[in-house]
Amino acid sequence: MKIVTIGSFKGGTGKTTLCAVLATALTQRGLKTRVIELETSTKPLARFEAAREFADLNSPNVADLHVSGGHPDVQDWQMGFRNQAEEAARKGYDVLLIDTVSVWKPEVIAAHLVADLVITTVTESPVDLYQIMPTNGPSMQATRPYSQLIDLVRRHAQKLNKTDFGWFMCLNRKSHLITRVGESVREQLLDFCEESNIDLLEGLVDRVGYRIMMETGVTPVDDIAGEPIQRSFLAARTESRRLAAQVIRQLNLQPGQRANYAIA
Ligand SMILES: Nc1ncnc2c1ncn2[C@@H]1O[C@H](COP(=O)(O)OP(=O)(O)OP(=O)(O)O)[C@@H](O)[C@H]1O
Ligand SMILES: [Mg+2]
């Protein structure tokens, strides 16, 4: 059982969309996938799952996470995630995906600490950059940049001797236009990722195919019998599958057959 956490401190970078696409692509590859969403008020992924059930599509499973106690702290949340992973492993699941929210909260920190792979989403905008790294600029400095969380998680992984721990930064919602500001953000991110030992990957480009899928439940990787694939899905399908393949390789998962991993 492997835990993949999707995070960023910037809202709207496509975490939930990427989570839904990835969960579907992994399920298609024969990897039994469960999702936990930390957005408990609107529950977009539970609604996505319900839409898929209605459309009779093979679906990843979305589970609620319950942590006992009044005000759970980071350790309680870690325990909650581990319990959930153990229960999922007993039920034959291969992957647990955690979709987080853009806030420095105990559950978000814990979700990063328990991960075997973290995927951070970022768009080609300077505002996203300031949310991630400490800058010298006076006005846009985030009080708690994401780099603080990266340091925390790295120290924790070292303490636990987690040598196979992986981190992807996904350039997401990328526009088709090449702009000077976009290129500049990309270069700065590349430097930051090199220093932090993070792999900078191409994420999901800004496409209509992703915009409609949370509502319909139909993702770019789905084939519906008797229906031609929509044009807006074609390129999206290729990049979604490529991303799923990168996750599978990083986690050393065996698609198509039931993996049997021990819980660390
Ligand atoms: N690759 C994409 N192409 C087009 N639209 C996208 C893409 N990714 C996300 N969107 C759209 O952008 C909006 C925000 O996406 P999403 O909810 O996935 O982001 P998020 O990071 O989970 O946001 P939050 O921080 O609020 O949880 C949604 O309307 C979604 O449909
Ligand atoms: Mg979200």
Side-chain angles (χ1 to χ4, degrees), residues 8 10-18 39 44 99-102 121 172-174 204-214 239:
S8 80
K10 171 76 173 16
T13 52
K15 294 179 288 297
T16 304
T17 304
L18 189 138
E39 178 52 84
D99 180 33
T100 66
V101 290
S102 324
T121 51
N172 229 17
R173 304 197 59 188
K174 196 174 158 323
L204 309 180
V205 170
D206 198 273
R207 300 182 195 280
V208 177
Y210 299 118
R211 222 167 290 156
I212 55 172
M213 54 166 257
M214 294 305 288
E239 71 198 7

Side-chain angles (χ1 to χ4, degrees), residues 69-94:
H71 296 287
D73 62 14
V74 174
Q75 285 190 347
D76 295 327
W77 281 102
Q78 282 188 77
M79 185 88 78
F81 291 128
R82 291 216 179 88
N83 289 343
Q84 186 82 24
E86 276 174 31
E87 191 209 314
R90 275 197 300 276
K91 292 183 175 163
Y93 282 87
D94 303 302

Side-chain angles (χ1 to χ4, degrees), residues 182-196:
E183 290 298 291
S184 157
V185 169
R186 177 182 282 262
E187 273 171 30
Q188 292 178 71
L189 274 176
L190 197 58
D191 288 344
F192 175 79
C193 286
E194 261 174 29
E195 275 169 30
S196 318

